[in-house]
Amino acid sequence: MVHTSHSFWQKVVAVTQSALDEGALQPISTQLKIVPDRGIPFAVRIVDSLNRKEIAQKKRQNQPKDKPFNPFLPYEEALFVEDLSSSHVCLLNKYNVVDHHLLIVTREYQSQDSWLSYSDFEALVRCLWVADGLGFYNGGYEAGASQHHKHLQLIPLNSPDGTEALPISSMIRDQKNHWETHQRLPSLPFWHSLYELSLQWNESHLNAISDRLLRTYRQIMADLGMNLQGESPDAPYNLLITRDWMMGIRRSQASYQGIGVNSLGYGGWLLVKTAADLEKLKHIGPMNLLQQVGCPPPASAR
Ligand code: AMP
């Protein structure tokens, strides 16, 4: 399916408006506070207190009691943006914290715990090509996934009304000489692996780009100690993908002292439920939080 970036973006904006009008899209309003830690200006969002109860209630209403609920099969028509391929659709995230948060969802059921495949990257690349931004995958419950049906995600960053730059991006830029050869940022105290992609983003190269992303992902999984021959990844992980680089992080737990972290946390975006949690987070320290929910790097990477 070929679409120009302009028409895709118009669709995202139009579907956002109609889904808001219908009440299908239920954005979570937050306040933004910057908490700098070891060179990264962490952007911490605090859920508005008025919003909190309402969201919890609505989320509960959505959950049938008898079987595990799957919000993507069927998905809500009002949130549908585009067919990406024969295997994937693009939807709006129903409870978005930032604008135009996209979900890239398999049409048929696949588990969030399974390996990412060529078709997953192909669908992501189709979105990343038309909406430059941060793609990510929360690989497992302990990595912050709340839904068990396979979904990648994309937050546009450089679009006309995109979100602010990713807090970690200046560190990635400044320490490039090091990670280009060592595949890690020396200042990050947890097990991770980072690769430059050096891709030519051109419409005629999208299949080659998808293939390159798949190969880089497999390399990152191996670097994080996963057995590539296994039926599924043997540990939870986060994956961050931009047009220029891909980073994987091995995870140990979903949260620390009640503060949850997903892939966005490793890009420098954290979310807390209350002002008291913000104080707790400041006390713990954002980088220490990421370390606590991550894993220590292996001796060879220290
Ligand atoms: P994750 O929490 O990383 O697994 O991402 C799943 C996302 O799906 C969450 O951010 C939810 O806000 C979003 N979500 C939950 N229910 C729906 C729904 N019915 N339609 C679209 N998105 C949903």
Side-chain angles (χ1 to χ4, degrees), residues 59 62 69 71-72 76 79 91-96 101 103 112 136 138 144-147 151 153 262:
K59 282 197 174 173
N62 266 342
F69 181 62
F72 308 140
E76 286 182 39
L79 300 171
L91 310 176
L92 294 179
N93 183 327
K94 186 174 180 69
Y95 307 105
N96 60 311
H101 182 157
L103 301 178
Q112 185 75 0
F136 62 100
N138 296 325
S146 66
Q147 305 299 334
H151 55 287
Q153 311 190 42
N262 66 15

Side-chain angles (χ1 to χ4, degrees), residues 154-174:
L154 177 71
I155 293 185
L157 291 173
N158 300 320
S159 49
D161 31 357
T163 313
E164 79 275 352
L166 202 61
I168 200 177
S169 55
S170 54
M171 177 180 277
I172 289 197
R173 201 180 45 237
D174 296 348

Side-chain angles (χ1 to χ4, degrees), residues 33-46:
K33 290 268 185 287
I34 304 299
V35 182
D37 190 9
R38 288 183 256 180
I40 300 181
F42 283 90
V44 184
R45 290 185 164 82
I46 308 123

Side-chain angles (χ1 to χ4, degrees), residues 83-269:
D83 286 315
L84 295 170
S85 63
S86 58
S87 53
H88 289 72
V89 291
C90 178
L91 310 176
L92 294 179
N93 183 327
K94 186 174 180 69
Y95 307 105
N96 60 311
V97 171
V98 297
D99 289 342
H100 308 128
H101 182 157
L102 306 176
L103 301 178
I104 297 156
V105 174
T106 56
R107 289 176 194 273
E108 316 247 316
Y109 182 78
Q110 284 183 39
S111 165
Q112 185 75 0
D113 291 333
S114 55
W115 292 110
L116 290 175
S117 64
Y118 177 83
S119 64
D120 293 318
F121 285 108
E122 183 188 40
L124 174 70
V125 163
R126 275 168 208 281
C127 285
L128 210 46
W129 159 242
V130 289
D132 190 6
L134 174 71
F136 62 100
Y137 190 73
N138 296 325
Y141 166 78
E142 292 91 347
S146 66
Q147 305 299 334
H148 55 92
H149 180 132
K150 199 187 232 184
H151 55 287
L152 289 109
Q153 311 190 42
L154 177 71
I155 293 185
L157 291 173
N158 300 320
S159 49
D161 31 357
T163 313
E164 79 275 352
L166 202 61
I168 200 177
S169 55
S170 54
M171 177 180 277
I172 289 197
R173 201 180 45 237
D174 296 348
Q175 299 184 358
K176 193 160 176 210
N177 282 346
H178 188 276
W179 66 262
E180 257 180 342
T181 42
H182 296 86
Q183 273 60 65
R184 57 184 302 273
L185 288 162
S187 33
L188 298 185
F190 45 80
W191 196 352
H192 67 283
S193 170
L194 171 62
Y195 283 81
E196 189 180 19
L197 294 170
S198 318
L199 296 167
Q200 267 193 304
W201 282 86
N202 177 313
E203 193 154 17
S204 59
H205 294 154
L206 296 186
N207 291 346
I209 292 175
S210 311
D211 189 55
R212 176 66 182 283
L213 293 194
L214 175 64
R215 280 186 289 125
T216 307
Y217 162 73
R218 303 280 292 171
Q219 181 62 56
I220 287 176
M221 292 294 100
D223 293 351
L224 295 179
M226 314 268 186
N227 171 15
L228 294 180
Q229 309 311 319
E231 211 170 287
S232 53
D234 35 15
Y237 65 95
N238 290 118
L239 192 68
L240 284 73
I241 305 149
T242 68
R243 286 185 179 178
D244 302 320
W245 50 263
M246 186 187 294
M247 175 159 73
I249 300 101
R250 186 168 166 134
R251 292 290 298 270
S252 57
Q253 52 181 344
S255 62
Y256 177 68
Q257 293 190 22
I259 302 178
V261 176
N262 66 15
S263 296
L264 297 179
Y266 287 93
W269 284 336

